[in-house]
Amino acid sequence: YQVRYRVYTPHNYANLTKLPVVYVTDGHEYADDRLGAMLIVLDNLIHQNKIRPVMAVFIDPRDPATGNNRRMNEYRANIRFANFVADELVPAIDQAYKTDTAANQRAILGTSLGGWNSAFFGMMRYDRFRLIGIHSPAFDNAIIQQLGNSPRLPLKIYMSTGTIFDTQVQARSMKAVLDEKGYPLRYTEVNQGHSWGNWRALIDEPLEYFFPAN
């Protein structure tokens, strides 16, 4: 499976070791200064000592050969994609970079269908990903029920939603399940819609929750 991705390393990387890693779906948009601007957010949070130095892997869902966006297939409870990232991409990153290889130091972050994907990664591949970042999740009912019916997993979860024609119905249903199970959860609702204006303003929250400086 061919995939294009970009890797962010923090300032002074040469002198750092055992860096946590956040894997980001729709990475070409999260990394775009006109959309997610996540590179700027990471630089600022690390410089201001709001988070410890971390790496980020921005996974581009567009087919490198054709340019076709594969997110509709990849992010909808696709175990083959989850296994590809967990069993092929993660080891490649861990071999090439100075990462912390512990599952509780590895995050997956996504928005909309990517938020559904993050929850699916947490449920199916918690051996690799235990920090689950979710912006405006386009969940189906099945994954909410699956998490509700499964034993509590070793996950720490961040979830946000807007309240203007966004995914608040699905997010609130999932929050109720997570609260009942006793999951560590930070949950945010904002007076926004389903857009990068919403998500860009909240990129700092999962990063500060997962990777606090102190």
Side-chain angles (χ1 to χ4, degrees):
Y1 195 69
Q2 297 296 314
V3 65
R4 180 182 293 113
Y5 61 89
R6 298 172 63 191
V7 178
Y8 166 91
T9 55
H11 174 70
N12 199 36
Y13 171 77
N15 296 316
L16 299 172
T17 59
K18 295 194 70 174
L19 292 165
V21 187
V22 53
Y23 287 74
V24 187
T25 52
D26 288 314
H28 64 307
E29 294 189 350
Y30 269 96
D32 189 328
D33 289 349
R34 300 163 296 179
L35 298 173
M38 190 168 170
L39 304 177
I40 297 170
V41 174
L42 284 163
D43 280 343
N44 287 339
L45 292 177
I46 294 169
H47 176 71
Q48 295 165 7
N49 200 36
K50 292 184 177 180
I51 64 172
R52 62 187 188 273
V54 302
M55 286 178 48
V57 179
F58 295 94
I59 307 172
D60 191 330
R62 296 171 297 182
D63 188 311
T66 66
N68 292 333
N69 196 318
R70 303 176 293 194
R71 71 191 304 276
M72 290 294 291
N73 176 54
E74 290 179 342
Y75 300 167
R76 299 172 70 177
N78 186 334
I79 190 60
R80 294 179 68 191
F81 178 69
N83 289 342
F84 166 74
V85 174
D87 296 330
E88 296 188 48
L89 183 57
V90 165
I93 295 296
D94 286 346
Q95 183 175 13
Y97 295 90
K98 296 185 288 184
T99 64
D100 189 327
T101 60
N104 63 3
Q105 297 300 312
R106 188 179 296 114
I108 181 77
L109 174 65
T111 184
S112 193
L113 289 178
W116 179 358
N117 177 78
S118 290
F120 184 74
F121 269 49
M123 187 170 63
M124 304 302 295
R125 293 310 307 259
Y126 57 87
D127 59 317
R128 296 283 195 183
F129 293 91
R130 297 191 178 177
L131 303 174
I132 308 303
I134 301 168
H135 286 134
S136 295
F139 293 137
D140 69 347
N141 290 330
I143 193 165
I144 298 172
Q145 293 170 359
Q146 283 177 287
L147 270 169
N149 293 333
S150 72
R152 178 177 157 182
L153 303 171
L155 306 176
K156 184 176 184 179
I157 301 167
Y158 171 89
M159 183 166 57
S160 71
T161 184
T163 59
I164 303 174
F165 304 109
D166 198 13
T167 59
Q168 62 267 35
V169 172
Q170 301 97 309
R172 290 169 183 170
S173 295
M174 180 65 90
K175 179 181 185 299
V177 166
L178 297 173
D179 286 343
E180 183 179 355
K181 289 286 189 180
Y183 278 98
L185 171 67
R186 178 172 177 180
Y187 179 77
T188 298
E189 288 191 3
V190 292
N191 191 30
Q192 294 283 343
H194 201 74
S195 72
W196 276 108
N198 173 356
W199 309 321
R200 181 173 58 246
L202 297 176
I203 289 174
D204 60 329
E205 290 197 351
L207 294 172
E208 291 181 8
Y209 182 50
F210 294 153
F211 310 115
N214 297 313

